[in-house]
Every structure is written in C-alpha cells, then in structure tokens.
C-alpha cells in the first residue's frame, strides 16, 4: 500500500501503516462476571456443553451441609476431555470453531456463565483413553494474570469415583464454589431457597431444552445432596415443557407453515400455531407472562434460544396472546440472524421484517392473515361466558413425581407465595396410615405400609404416586385453614381407618 498523502478529500478507505497484536488484559476476566447471565441461563449453558459432548445423562447437584449450601455441580457422561482439550475449554474464546450442529457458539459460555455466579470454577474430566484431569479458575487470580490452577490428579479421581454412577469410563464434572446466591441464604431459609431455585431451573431447562428432553435416552436430573452422607434429599427429573404442547389447537387448520423469502438467507419456514384460549397448561401459562411469551420461538440446532417476542416487527398485544411461531435458524452463517452470547435471544436485520410481509403458505394464505385469525380467536373467546374456575391449591412439593406435579399445575391454579405440601415416609403407630404436620406443611406416611405400593422394589423419594396424589387432593384444604375444625379431624380419622384396613388387606394377599 502506498504511503498516505495528506488531503482534504474524504478518505473512503482508512489508511494504515501496519498491525500489532494486542492480547486482552487480565482485567477482561472481570467483564465475564458481568455478562448478565441469569442463574437458570448459566446452568443451561453448562448443560449445552454436556449435550455437545454426547452426554445421555446430566445431573445438576446442589450440595448441602445442614442449613448451608456449599457447592453446585453439573455432572455428565459425555465423551470427556484430556489435558489439552481441558486447557482449551478453560481458555477464554479457546474454541476456534464448532461443528455445525453444536450448541456452543462463542467459546466463552463455560467461563462467563460460571464466573457470573461463582468465585471458583473447577472442571474435572476423563476420557476413555486418558485419566482424570482438572483445572480451576479463581476469579481473583484470573483477574490478575489469567492464571488457571491444575487440580491434583488424585482429587480428580476421587471426585470422579464419588459420581461413578454417572461418570464411568468418561464424563465431566463442573463444580461451582463460593456461589454468590448461596451466601445470601439466611438461617432457616435453605429449603425455601432450594424449592424456588429448582422450580425455576426445572421450568427453564424444560422449556429451552424440550426437544432434547423429549428424545429417548437423554435425561437431566436435579438433586439436592447431603455433602457429608451423600444422601439425596431431593431428586427431580426435568420434563420437557413444549411451548406448542396443546392437546387441540385453538383454531381449525393450525398449525400452518409459512415460507418467508429472506434476503441473504433464502426461504425460511415459519410454523404458526394458535393456542386454545384460556388454556390452563403450564406450557402456556407457566413459562412467563403471556405478553412476553407470544411471538417467535427461535431454535438453533433444536435448542430454544428465544422464547417469545416479535423482534421489533410489531409490539406485544394482549389479543395476540395465543400466537406462537416456531422458527429453526438456518445452519449456514448469515448476516440476518445473530445469537446473543447468553443464548437468550436473537437479533435480526430489517431483511427479516421484509420477509414476513411476503410470507405465505402453499394455499396462498398470508402471515398477516394468520395474525388476524389469532387475534379473532382470542376476541371470540373473550366474549364467551366465563368458564368454571377451579379452586386454587397449595403447590405440590418434595415426594411427588415431577410428572405428577406438572399435571397438578396444569389442572389446578396454585396459590402464589405459599410453601408446598411435601411427603415423606416415617415411623408411625400401626393404626395410623398418615399424619399431617401443619407447621412443616408435611404429610408423613407410615413406612410400615410402604412395601404395599412398591411391589417388593426399593422405595424412592417419589414412590407411591397414586396414594400420594390422592392424599394431596384430600388434605390440601386442611393445610390452608388457619384452624382445624372438628369435621377435618374426623375426616382424617376416617381416611386413616379406611387406608390402614386397605393396606393390611393388600399385605394379606
């Protein structure tokens, strides 16, 4: 390039004299801790890495020491990493490229997600051909000079052995210590914190990973573990939460697929749905405010990266609450769609809006007409007589199968801000089938009769779903009362008499 000659003319190209490498300062790590990752989104980013590693089982474990939360682990049975791969994974932007089908994108998710919530990030991994190895980042050290600690290989193997039911020949453990949210939990509030945190995490993972969770052979479980005894204090399997999981569409002829010509992308399929009005399903009402959940549901490699919103093509309106449109992003790189670092949204160029204006289906039905029909469906339902309302109940808590809890939430409105009803087996007199602990809001079941419901199998935390669900419906109102009246006491005695006799009849068989 010829030397620049000073001139009053406008320079269309910036003249340069060379180049130099400017590596990031160690302070750059501090910016990773301020990416705005929500707790659930951060965990989801770690599960994305497990999926990319081919994991079939992922366990998210909250470690508890009495009333104190000490650590959080994400354990998977993916392909694992050797020393070299682990160094790359722990380097900011270390991945130079991803497979077209990968959920990872920028090479910063593990670090940014973790350091947004914990001051210590440890990753331990093993492959079929390499021993357990580990690295640790302490935020303070990393901010100073990018220093990453090498974990003692003996401890690496000890931790892998602790989770040998998941990590057998290969897998990875991500460990968070000094989790900032855990430090805010005051004395006596650990149960409440965990229940709220796990409920939100279940919903977030169930929604954003619903296509993976619906597949045979992929499981995500959330457990609470006693750090000393290794006992599971809670165990919930994450169920898929399909934002299009209605039983009957809100309008005949839907869903419909429209094709939008997008400049720079080509033809883009838009699968438009109209939800049935006034649906009680959690996948409609339980994933956030309806105004925020209308609009586009955008997927990248089957992972939901945007759950609602109109991407500036229009404003959210109450009468469009039934409109949801599924879009799968093209796998080829393009300049129209850009994924946010946190994978919680997509930015678009005006080319997308122009494509929507021209979108039609095979019958010539326009996308604009779809929006009109979604609005009409909503308005017609609003004019109809109000449907019978079921009485709100206390939420279902520990001891009930997650699928059962999901159905209960689908069918019954829950009282907000209330502690859940929990179930556990305990030693009770032989003539008592269950007791109610109103202060703890707990149903105690007589473990003498537990074998009746497990067919000789070892009981689990969420066993006996039939009897537990019946008791949940029977005693819910009693737990809601400030004072227990004589009629309630009599009902409990009656139910105990009948259930004890029934259980003894079953044992006699």
């Amino acid at each position: 390039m010829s030397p620049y000659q000073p001139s009053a003319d406008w320079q269309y190209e910036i003249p340069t004299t060379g180049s130099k490498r400017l590596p990031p300062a160690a302070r750059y790590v501090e910016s990773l801790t301020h990416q705005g990752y929500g707790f659930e989104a951060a965990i989801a980013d770690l599960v994305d890495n497990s999926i990319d590693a081919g994991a079939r089982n992922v366990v998210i474990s909250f470690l508890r020491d009495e009333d104190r939360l000490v650590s959080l682990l994400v354990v998977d049975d993916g392909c694992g990493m050797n020393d070299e791969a682990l160094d790359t994974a722990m380097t900011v932007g270390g991945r130079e490229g991803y497979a077209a089908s990968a959920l990872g994108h920028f090479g910063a998710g593990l670090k940014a997600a973790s350091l947004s919530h914990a001051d210590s990030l440890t990753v331990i991994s093993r492959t079929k051909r390499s021993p357990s190895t580990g690295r640790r980042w302490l935020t303070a050290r990393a901010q100073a000079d990018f220093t990453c600690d090498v974990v003692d290989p003996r401890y690496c193997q000890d931790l892998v052995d602790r989770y040998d039911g998941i990590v057998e020949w290969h897998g990875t453990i991500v460990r968070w210590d000094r989790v900032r949210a855990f430090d805010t939990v005051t004395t006596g509030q650990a149960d409440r914190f965990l229940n709220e945190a796990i409920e939100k995490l279940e919903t977030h993972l169930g929604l954003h990973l619903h296509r993976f969770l619906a597949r045979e052979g992929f499981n995500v479980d959330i457990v609470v573990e006693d750090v000393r005894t290794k006992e599971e204090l809670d165990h919930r399997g994450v169920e898929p939460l399909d934002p299009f999981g209605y039983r009957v569409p809100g309008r005949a002829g839907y869903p419909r697929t429209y094709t939008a010509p997008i400049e720079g992308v080509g033809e883009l399929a838009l699968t438009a749905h109209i939800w049935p009005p006034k649906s009680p399903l959690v996948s409609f009402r339980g994933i956030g405010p309806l105004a925020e959940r209308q609009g586009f549901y955008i997927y990248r490699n089957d992972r939901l990266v945007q759950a609602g919103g109109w991407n500036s093509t229009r404003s959210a309106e109450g009468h469009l609450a039934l409109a949801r449109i599924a879009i799968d992003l093209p796998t080829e790189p393009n300049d129209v769609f850009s994924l946010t670092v946190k994978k919680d949204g997509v930015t678009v160029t005006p080319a997308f809006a122009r494509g929507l204006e021209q979108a039609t289906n095979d019958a010539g039905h326009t996308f604009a007409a779809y929006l009109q029909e979604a609005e009409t469906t909503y308005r017609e339902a609003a004019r109809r007589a109000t449907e019978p309302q079921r009485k709100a109940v206390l939420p279902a808590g520990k001891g009930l199968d997650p699928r059962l809890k999901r159905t209960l939430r689908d069918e019954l409105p829950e009282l907000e801000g209330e502690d859940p009803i929990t179930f556990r087996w305990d030693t009770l007199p032989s003539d008592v089938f269950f007791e109610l602990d109103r202060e703890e809001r707990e149903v105690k079941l007589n473990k003498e009769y537990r074998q009746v419901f497990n067919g000789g199998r070892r009981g689990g935390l969420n066993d006996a779903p039939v009897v537990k669900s019946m008791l949940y419906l029977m005693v819910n109102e009693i737990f809601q009362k400030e004072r227990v009246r004589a009629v309630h006491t009599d009902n409990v005695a009656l139910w105990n008499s009948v259930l004890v006799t029934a259980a003894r009849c079953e044992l006699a068989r």
Side-chain angles (χ1 to χ4, degrees):
M1 179 181 292
S2 58
Y4 169 65
Q5 298 298 324
S7 170
D9 295 335
W10 177 254
Q11 301 298 308
Y12 288 91
E13 296 292 336
I14 304 295
T16 61
T17 60
S19 61
K20 64 190 318 184
R21 183 175 180 272
L22 299 174
R27 185 178 172 84
Y28 173 66
V29 174
E30 185 177 353
S31 71
L32 291 179
T33 69
H34 297 90
Q35 292 289 320
Y37 266 96
F39 185 78
E40 299 83 27
I43 300 296
D45 224 323
L46 303 185
V47 179
D48 287 346
N49 292 338
S50 298
I51 293 172
D52 282 345
R56 296 174 62 84
N57 297 285
V58 182
V59 175
I60 302 158
S61 183
F62 292 80
L63 268 64
R64 180 172 179 172
D65 185 358
E66 295 183 347
D67 202 39
R68 187 168 61 98
L69 303 177
V70 295
S71 299
L72 183 143
L73 276 67
V74 178
V75 187
D76 71 51
D77 60 357
C79 61
M81 295 174 280
N82 58 20
D83 269 302
E84 183 180 356
L86 186 52
D87 284 340
T88 300
M90 294 292 274
T91 301
V92 177
R95 289 285 295 272
E96 295 182 1
Y98 285 89
S101 60
L103 303 184
H105 195 53
F106 295 104
L110 169 65
K111 287 75 66 177
S114 300
L115 297 179
S116 291
H117 293 277
D119 288 331
S120 175
L121 163 65
T122 304
V123 180
I124 291 171
S125 194
R126 66 167 294 171
T127 72
K128 277 187 176 181
R129 296 179 176 83
S130 62
S132 302
T133 186
R135 300 289 184 271
R136 182 187 68 170
W137 263 32
L138 298 177
T139 304
R141 297 266 317 269
Q143 288 176 353
D145 56 7
F146 279 116
T147 298
C148 181
D149 297 320
V150 177
V151 181
D152 189 311
R154 293 168 297 182
Y155 172 75
C156 293
Q157 189 57 49
D158 284 346
L159 193 61
V160 166
D161 289 343
R162 181 184 178 106
Y163 295 98
D164 63 356
I166 308 164
V167 181
E168 294 180 345
W169 294 104
H170 47 76
T172 298
I173 302 170
V174 177
R175 172 176 168 173
W176 290 1
D177 293 295
R178 304 177 198 170
V179 181
R180 291 186 279 279
F182 292 176
D183 293 338
T184 67
V185 181
T186 56
T187 303
Q189 293 300 305
D191 283 331
R192 180 186 290 271
F193 173 87
L194 282 170
N195 189 65
E196 292 178 356
I198 292 174
E199 287 282 348
K200 291 178 181 177
L201 186 56
E202 273 188 288
T203 299
H204 186 91
L205 295 177
L207 176 62
H208 288 81
L209 300 176
H210 73 90
R211 289 185 177 178
F212 293 94
L213 292 165
R215 297 173 184 172
E216 191 71 30
F218 178 71
N219 305 286
V220 177
D221 292 275
I222 304 172
V223 303
V224 179
E225 178 185 348
D226 187 304
V227 73
R228 298 177 186 272
T229 66
K230 304 181 185 179
E231 177 189 0
E232 284 189 0
L233 306 176
D234 196 357
H235 189 145
R236 312 186 194 184
V238 179
E239 294 292 317
L241 196 55
D242 186 353
F244 307 100
Y246 48 77
R247 300 182 182 105
V248 178
R251 197 172 189 89
Y254 284 91
R256 290 176 179 169
T257 300
Y258 297 82
T259 301
I262 309 294
E263 182 182 354
V265 172
E267 294 187 341
L268 183 71
L270 316 170
T271 305
H273 299 252
I274 298 179
W275 263 85
K278 304 177 183 178
S279 173
L281 297 182
V282 173
S283 49
F284 181 64
R285 296 188 176 277
I287 59 176
L290 293 180
E292 297 177 9
R293 293 311 191 195
Q294 60 182 256
F296 301 116
Y297 285 70
I298 303 178
Y299 296 81
R300 176 177 173 270
N301 296 332
D302 280 340
R303 203 270 204 194
L304 185 62
V305 293
Q306 178 175 307
W310 294 104
N311 297 83
S312 300
T313 61
R314 65 185 308 111
S315 299
E317 303 171 39
H319 47 261
L320 283 176
L322 307 179
R324 292 183 180 178
I325 306 98
I327 299 175
D328 285 277
L329 292 178
T331 55
E332 300 78 14
N334 64 83
D335 297 325
V336 178
F337 300 99
S338 300
L339 183 66
T340 63
V341 173
K342 295 176 289 181
K343 289 182 277 192
D344 62 353
V346 174
T347 58
V348 300
T349 66
F352 178 63
R354 292 194 295 269
L356 288 181
E357 293 175 353
Q358 304 173 56
T360 59
N361 70 353
D362 292 340
H365 192 267
T366 66
F367 186 75
Y370 153 70
L371 294 175
Q372 184 61 51
E373 290 191 353
E375 179 178 339
T376 300
T377 305
Y378 178 88
R379 293 187 185 278
E380 289 174 349
R383 288 195 294 267
R384 291 198 291 266
T386 303
E387 298 176 5
Q389 295 294 313
R390 290 174 175 168
K391 187 176 179 180
V393 297
L394 297 171
K398 288 192 295 186
L400 286 170
D401 188 280
R403 289 167 295 182
L404 178 56
K405 287 193 286 186
R406 184 78 68 193
T407 298
L408 290 168
R409 288 200 294 268
D410 281 346
E411 299 294 344
L412 295 167
E414 290 185 351
L415 294 167
E416 295 185 3
E418 293 285 350
D419 289 334
I421 296 175
T422 61
F423 291 80
R424 72 179 174 91
W425 296 94
D426 203 351
T427 302
L428 301 175
S430 294
D431 60 345
V432 175
F433 188 87
F434 72 95
E435 280 185 355
L436 303 182
D437 186 333
R438 285 170 45 79
E439 185 174 339
E440 296 295 328
R441 200 164 279 178
E442 183 177 64
V443 180
K444 299 178 182 179
L445 301 166
N446 193 336
K447 64 182 181 181
E448 178 181 339
Y449 303 116
R450 191 173 193 175
Q451 58 181 306
V452 169
F453 305 100
N454 291 320
R457 300 184 301 273
R458 182 176 178 271
L461 181 70
N462 301 325
D463 59 5
V466 173
V467 70
K468 287 179 179 177
S469 62
M470 292 175 63
L471 284 171
Y472 169 81
L473 296 172
M474 291 158 62
V475 305
N476 208 290
E477 183 179 359
I478 298 177
F479 277 116
Q480 294 183 46
K481 299 291 184 182
E482 291 186 9
R483 294 175 56 192
V484 178
R485 300 171 59 186
V487 65
H488 298 133
T489 303
D490 185 63
N491 280 339
V492 170
L494 168 64
W495 297 334
N496 262 304
S497 177
V498 173
L499 288 170
V500 165
T501 303
R504 288 174 175 171
C505 288
E506 189 63 34
L507 285 172
R509 288 163 61 96

